[in-house]
Amino acid sequence: MTETVTSGAVIDTEDYRSIWMYLKELDFRQGFIDVAVYGSPVRTRYAEAGRPDKPHAILLHGTGGHWETFAPNLAALSEFFHCVAIDMVGNGFSDKPDYDYEIAVYVEHVLGVMDHFGMERANFVAMSLGAWVASTIAVHHPDRVSKVILMSPAGKEAAASNMARIRAERTKAVNEPTWDSLHAVFAHLIADEANRLPDLIGLRRAIYQRDDTRESIDHLLILQDAAVRDRNLIPEDEWKSITAPVMVVASGRDHGVYQETATSIARLIPHAEVFEMPDVRHWPHFEDPKEFNSAAVSFLTR
């Protein structure tokens, strides 16, 4: 049985999915904490699941994201780990201070979150921008890292066309936060239309309608500037220095630059393995959580 809603989307009512349906039986909490960045507090939104005495896991989203990116994964991961998923500084419903968000800013923020939750070290489950941040932490703070899962990783190379697309899409979506403009963003993140859940698009729309999002969009998109991106990229010798075990997820339908980065860093990182997911795009963990969760738990608990 299906039902057509006013947006024109068709919902499968026999196998209805939403963010909340992934969380409905999960013992978790959402909250806000203050984390110092550049010496000033950043009000930081987070979701926490799993007992604090378990090994820790930090979950990091991509550009413009929020913790609900990991809604389909928290239940499976929190059986084995104390999970904290955050809205990184400048993203989601966290504070958006008036400075550019380069990688060092995100690193300081994430390490501050770890300190708040008493995590001397943690596993990282990270995608896109989050994978760039997690990889940088693995390079410069190896004592804080146990294992790392990198999805749609960024941080090694840049494609001018991809940076221009991201800037154009996100700027349009913030300046004109309509359902259609947000749907266009997710068309590049999730391959199958059925997996672009309406409440996911609605949540991103709510973020992009905020005054602070509109006011800080240039700070958020600073890494799409070629000169800025170049000075934040991780050099090959630093990829080679990563000592933590790493699982790189290769999304078969993702943009070429992300596929190329996944392949090349897997060759550079000494203790890296590749997990192929050929039928998904930029959000493999969201688009096929059953396959991803099984592989992630196996890798992290091995």
Side-chain angles (χ1 to χ4, degrees):
M1 178 181 179
T2 59
E3 175 184 357
T4 302
V5 297
T6 55
S7 68
V10 178
I11 297 175
D12 181 356
T13 56
E14 293 297 320
D15 186 27
Y16 177 73
R17 289 180 299 152
S18 70
I19 290 172
W20 187 251
M21 294 299 284
Y22 287 121
L23 302 170
K24 63 185 183 299
E25 296 184 66
L26 177 64
D27 183 6
F28 82 105
R29 67 170 178 160
Q30 175 181 278
F32 288 84
I33 55 174
D34 284 338
V35 177
V37 179
Y38 283 172
S40 298
V42 171
R43 187 170 185 260
T44 301
R45 180 172 176 257
Y46 72 92
E48 180 183 22
R51 294 199 319 267
D53 60 345
K54 294 179 178 180
H56 305 296
I58 290 284
L59 284 59
L60 302 178
H61 59 74
T63 301
H66 39 88
W67 75 253
E68 285 88 352
T69 299
F70 296 100
N73 319 115
L74 278 172
L77 292 174
S78 63
E79 288 186 35
F80 303 91
F81 302 97
H82 170 229
C83 298
V84 174
I86 64 171
D87 293 6
M88 290 193 292
V89 56
N91 291 260
F93 295 95
S94 289
D95 277 352
K96 301 169 180 63
D98 187 17
Y99 46 73
D100 290 339
Y101 313 134
E102 297 192 42
I103 295 301
V105 173
Y106 292 119
V107 168
E108 183 175 347
H109 186 229
V110 171
L111 293 177
V113 170
M114 292 176 65
D115 291 342
H116 175 88
F117 285 98
M119 301 178 179
E120 291 186 10
R121 61 193 299 122
N123 298 285
F124 284 79
V125 181
M127 59 162 294
S128 196
L129 170 64
W132 191 348
V133 175
S135 299
T136 303
I137 294 173
V139 169
H140 296 290
H141 304 275
D143 57 316
R144 305 301 298 269
V145 179
S146 296
K147 292 185 178 183
V148 184
I149 296 177
L150 302 176
M151 300 172 283
S152 305
K156 181 181 179 293
E157 53 197 293
S161 60
N162 193 54
M163 291 190 291
R165 175 189 62 79
I166 293 172
R167 180 177 287 279
E169 282 180 357
R170 303 305 170 89
T171 302
K172 177 179 175 60
V174 169
N175 291 331
E176 303 172 24
T178 65
W179 193 271
D180 287 343
S181 68
L182 269 298
H183 188 274
V185 171
F186 279 94
H188 286 102
L189 301 177
I190 297 174
D192 188 343
E193 171 70 33
N195 292 321
R196 301 169 198 157
L197 305 186
D199 58 345
L200 183 65
I201 297 174
L203 182 63
R204 185 67 69 97
R205 186 184 182 203
I207 293 168
Y208 282 17
Q209 287 175 320
R210 292 170 58 99
D211 289 341
D212 61 355
T213 301
R214 186 167 52 254
E215 292 163 359
S216 63
I217 187 62
D218 288 335
H219 292 317
L220 178 65
L221 295 177
I222 192 64
L223 290 170
Q224 309 313 318
D225 178 270
V228 176
R229 194 174 185 92
D230 284 349
R231 69 171 177 249
N232 282 271
L233 292 175
I234 302 172
E236 283 197 4
D237 61 332
E238 291 188 355
W239 288 104
K240 293 177 181 178
S241 75
I242 293 176
T243 56
V246 175
M247 183 174 85
V248 179
V249 178
S251 300
R253 298 178 67 181
D254 204 359
H255 296 280
V257 65
Y258 297 108
Q259 294 176 351
E260 291 160 13
T261 298
T263 301
S264 60
I265 66 173
R267 289 197 297 263
L268 293 171
I269 299 171
H271 306 289
E273 59 187 74
V274 177
F275 179 65
E276 300 279 355
M277 295 185 68
D279 300 321
V280 298
R281 193 159 287 165
H282 202 61
W283 284 24
H285 61 305
F286 195 96
E287 190 155 13
D288 191 347
K290 183 177 181 180
E291 184 175 6
F292 173 81
N293 290 342
S294 177
V297 169
S298 175
F299 170 73
L300 294 174
T301 59
R302 191 182 310 152

